[in-house]
Amino acid sequence: MRNFFHFIIRNHFILLFLLLEIVSFYMVVNYNSYQRASWISSSNSVSGGVYRSFSDATQYLQLKQINEELAKENTYLRSQLPSSFKDSKDYFSLVYDSLNKRQYTYRTAKVINNSVNKHFNYITLNKGSNNGIVKEMGVISAKGVVGIVKDVSDHYSSVITILNTRLLISGKLKESGFFGALGWDGNDYRYVWLNEIPIHAHVVVGDLVVTSGFSSIFPEGILIGSVEVVERDKGESFYRIKVKLSVDFKDLSYVEVMSNKMKEEQLNLENSND
Amino acid sequence: MINRLPGYILSFFVLVLLQVLVFNNIQFSGYVNPYVYILFIFILPFETPGYLLLFIAFLLGLTIDLFSNTPGMHTFATVFIAFVRPSLLRAISPRDDYQPGSSPTIHDYGFVWYLKYTVVLILVHHTLLFFIEVYDFIYFFSTMWRIVASSLFTLIFVFIAQLFVFKKDKSR
């Protein structure tokens, strides 16, 4: 026993080193495989608080630009009001029907932390479960798809963005309707890749890429980006399409978190097929 | 030693805040990111006992991880350089060894010594960090490029910090 203690005391430096490295490696691995350890993400209250006060201080610098964006969105929304359509009884009628109930609800949230330069990028929002946000809600901005809520605490939530090599989003070509998986390759934060589009599909540079609506997180037709380059490797029967994102991730300030009221219903139905 | 404690605590907080609020937002050419917070491991006095060095590194890495959504990654790399530091200091010690009361700065041991000291630790730290982050050897060359470029920027900031902050400390 004494020898054992002597051994520990003599080699305490190496033993402590190994212990600490095992603890941190455990955190890395645990996080990667199960995405637990959520207490140590930036949605926890300490780091969330620091980020919030910092972004409160710096947001004044962006006010002008945010105003412009809001004004643009206002005009867009106004153009969609019933009053901006010609109201003719012939083809337009409102019937109250419980099936026409609103399926998606939106909540605005402010981005208080953001990164684009890692392989796994996340953003932090200033709203959490107290504001009704739960895991796996979709996040969009005025310009297009941003990501999916990964963790929530009481007042903050962290969002896994398209710029994260772990996230794949189902997208489709707006013109032709062919769908595939969208994912990031970890290089340029302005581009993602759309795979699994068969080579008999007609793809033109500039075609819009939108969400497919298959995932129950995003509704169909939300803009993701536009086709920039179409590649085809020899012997492959699928295109590799480089998509320019419509959202500028370096410049995110306000986003909308959307909840799908019928998600449970859809998932239950789909699971009952197995 | 004890009267220098508040200074070290202050620089811990300053470096962490600088890292998460400023340097994590600097992105030269898209994906080059300097990690200047490890400067805190460099400035610790020669007499720091090994176990304390490891614990401080663990705490420092964990704090950075807390802010950047990367559980364990910074902790792993930072604890590793804390482990390497004593052997490195022994390997590059000047002929008449380190003087008591001196600190690991350019001012005390010269430019070449400081360059050797920081380059090795920065390279080790960044190599570990970036490979753990990627978790894969597929992107080997792009990762190597990120390591070299980020190390260079970290090194530049570490030297800038030497020229400004610590001279003032000396004259006190």
Side-chain angles (χ1 to χ4, degrees):
Chain A
M1 202 63 201
R2 254 183 72 189
N3 283 343
F4 178 68
F5 282 123
H6 269 292
F7 173 77
I8 289 189
I9 290 167
R10 211 164 350 109
N11 295 309
H12 74 278
F13 186 57
I14 291 180
L15 290 175
L16 185 66
F17 163 70
L18 289 177
L19 179 77
L20 293 178
E21 289 297 54
I22 288 168
V23 169
S24 43
F25 197 70
Y26 176 77
M27 284 196 282
V28 175
V29 174
N30 195 37
Y31 179 77
N32 279 338
S33 41
Y34 305 106
Q35 307 214 336
R36 280 182 203 151
S38 49
W39 62 273
I40 201 177
S41 74
S42 63
S43 53
N44 81 59
S45 55
V46 180
S47 54
V50 172
Y51 278 131
R52 191 191 48 202
S53 30
F54 186 68
S55 96
D56 280 349
T58 52
Q59 69 166 334
Y60 290 100
L61 304 171
Q62 302 179 327
L63 271 185
K64 189 178 167 218
Q65 196 191 346
I66 292 169
N67 273 337
E68 273 169 21
E69 264 171 40
L70 286 178
K72 262 186 213 155
E73 207 179 350
N74 263 343
T75 30
Y76 171 72
L77 291 176
R78 193 163 294 136
S79 70
Q80 302 227 313
L81 282 177
S83 60
S84 37
F85 291 94
K86 196 175 170 194
D87 206 6
S88 154
K89 275 268 184 244
D90 296 341
Y91 61 89
F92 187 76
S93 61
L94 279 173
V95 179
Y96 184 74
D97 181 341
S98 61
L99 282 178
N100 283 341
K101 267 195 308 194
R102 199 158 57 155
Q103 188 185 357
Y104 292 94
T105 47
Y106 296 84
R107 295 174 178 82
T108 337
K110 202 172 94 190
V111 177
I112 56 172
N113 183 31
N114 187 5
S115 75
V116 299
N117 60 334
K118 309 211 167 65
H119 260 83
F120 310 116
N121 291 302
Y122 298 93
I123 58 178
T124 310
L125 306 180
N126 69 341
K127 285 189 179 165
S129 55
N130 281 2
N131 305 87
I133 292 177
V134 295
K135 278 187 185 183
E136 298 195 357
M137 280 184 172
V139 179
I140 60 172
S141 79
K143 290 177 192 159
V145 171
V146 173
I148 294 171
V149 175
K150 189 193 72 131
D151 277 318
V152 283
S153 64
D154 285 353
H155 300 99
Y156 304 101
S157 47
S158 77
V159 175
I160 177 166
T161 64
I162 302 186
L163 299 185
N164 190 313
T165 46
R166 288 200 189 103
L167 183 68
L168 287 177
I169 283 185
S170 170
K172 70 173 184 182
L173 294 162
K174 197 178 182 187
E175 284 296 311
S176 55
F178 285 96
F179 64 92
L182 267 164
W184 191 49
D185 60 352
N187 285 327
D188 194 328
Y189 70 94
R190 286 169 302 177
Y191 300 99
V192 293
W193 291 90
L194 176 61
N195 295 318
E196 298 170 21
I197 298 288
I199 49 170
H200 62 267
H202 182 62
V203 190
V204 186
V205 171
D207 272 359
L208 291 183
V209 178
V210 295
T211 52
S212 68
F214 293 163
S215 66
S216 82
I217 290 173
F218 296 108
E220 190 188 346
I222 293 186
L223 188 63
I224 297 173
S226 56
V227 173
E228 181 91 2
V229 179
V230 183
E231 280 178 12
R232 184 191 158 194
D233 295 334
K234 251 190 190 152
E236 285 280 326
S237 50
F238 295 104
Y239 285 126
R240 257 170 70 73
I241 298 174
K242 193 178 189 183
V243 177
K244 186 174 179 16
L245 289 169
S246 56
V247 177
D248 184 354
F249 277 88
K250 267 204 176 172
D251 184 28
L252 271 182
S253 43
Y254 282 91
V255 293
E256 276 156 30
V257 184
M258 55 196 307
S259 56
N260 181 354
K261 283 189 174 161
M262 295 173 196
K263 183 176 159 191
E264 292 261 306
E265 191 183 325
Q266 188 185 346
L267 287 179
N268 283 341
L269 182 65
E270 284 171 2
N271 288 339
S272 68
N273 293 340
D274 299 336
Chain B
M1 179 69 204
I2 279 297
N3 56 7
R4 277 152 80 189
L5 194 63
Y8 283 112
I9 293 174
L10 183 72
S11 46
F12 182 90
F13 284 107
V14 169
L15 279 172
V16 167
L17 287 179
L18 266 181
Q19 181 64 45
V20 298
L21 298 180
V22 181
F23 288 112
N24 278 356
N25 295 316
I26 297 181
Q27 286 129 16
F28 303 102
S29 81
Y31 50 107
V32 177
N33 197 342
Y35 292 104
V36 181
Y37 71 91
I38 52 172
L39 178 62
F40 189 72
I41 301 294
F42 301 166
I43 61 172
L44 289 171
F46 291 116
E47 307 88 54
T48 319
Y51 66 91
L52 191 62
L53 200 62
L54 291 177
F55 272 124
I56 289 173
F58 188 77
L59 194 68
L60 179 65
L62 200 65
T63 318
I64 298 292
D65 278 333
L66 202 83
F67 281 99
S68 39
N69 275 327
T70 52
M73 297 179 192
H74 288 283
T75 319
F76 191 91
T78 314
V79 170
F80 196 87
I81 57 164
F83 177 69
V84 171
R85 196 187 105 135
S87 338
L88 177 71
L89 282 176
R90 236 172 291 133
I92 59 169
S93 65
R95 206 172 310 146
D96 44 356
D97 216 347
Y98 302 106
Q99 304 301 318
S102 65
S103 43
T105 53
I106 295 188
H107 190 263
D108 285 2
Y109 290 100
F111 183 83
V112 178
W113 179 87
Y114 195 71
L115 190 69
K116 277 193 256 177
Y117 174 53
T118 49
V119 164
V120 173
L121 291 184
I122 289 174
L123 273 179
V124 170
H125 176 270
H126 285 33
T127 308
L128 279 174
L129 181 68
F130 282 113
F131 274 111
I132 295 170
E133 190 190 83
V134 176
Y135 216 62
D136 211 327
F137 285 96
I138 299 177
Y139 311 104
F140 185 79
F141 288 104
S142 80
T143 311
M144 286 311 282
W145 154 243
R146 288 176 64 168
I147 290 167
V148 172
S150 296
S151 301
L152 202 66
F153 277 105
T154 306
L155 191 69
I156 290 170
F157 283 112
V158 164
F159 270 85
I160 291 175
Q162 280 290 300
L163 296 178
F164 286 85
V165 182
F166 299 109
K167 224 175 211 172
K168 227 188 265 168
D169 246 17
K170 276 279 142 195
S171 60
R172 216 161 0 124

